[in-house]
Amino acid sequence: MNIYNQKSPYNNSNYLGQKTLETPLPNSQQQDPLIAKGLQKEQYIGIFSLAIAVIAAVGIISRRVEYAILFAIFLSLILIAVFLVI
């Protein structure tokens, strides 16, 4: 007797076929307050500032590591541009 070919009593098509109907929200409630909108500029400024601060902090400790980080960032930007074009 093959277990894989047996029908399961839990495989009820009526139970699995039920769907929940969604009712659309009114236009005033469709905006989610947890989603930040219009903050892209501030985010980019913060990320850029943080990157400069990290490079400066590492540069104080070791010049070779700073050059390695700058090279990695430069190479990453080139690769990102190449992959976006392809």
Side-chain angles (χ1 to χ4, degrees):
M1 185 164 140
N2 194 350
I3 297 175
Y4 299 109
N5 291 334
Q6 291 180 355
K7 291 189 176 184
S8 171
Y10 300 109
N11 191 6
N12 188 355
S13 62
N14 292 334
Y15 176 74
L16 296 176
Q18 294 177 354
K19 295 186 179 183
T20 303
L21 299 176
E22 296 182 14
T23 56
L25 296 173
N27 289 336
S28 63
Q29 295 180 355
Q30 284 184 347
Q31 295 179 354
D32 191 357
L34 297 177
I35 298 175
K37 296 185 180 185
L39 294 178
Q40 286 84 11
K41 292 178 186 176
E42 291 84 359
Q43 289 173 348
Y44 288 131
I45 291 170
I47 291 169
F48 187 70
S49 302
L50 182 64
I52 290 175
V54 167
I55 291 171
V58 170
I60 292 171
I61 297 171
S62 173
R63 280 281 178 211
R64 288 185 181 180
V65 176
E66 180 183 11
Y67 292 146
I69 290 174
L70 288 174
F71 178 73
I73 290 172
F74 182 69
L75 186 63
S76 297
L77 291 175
I78 291 173
L79 288 174
I80 289 170
V82 167
F83 287 134
L84 287 176
V85 171
I86 293 177

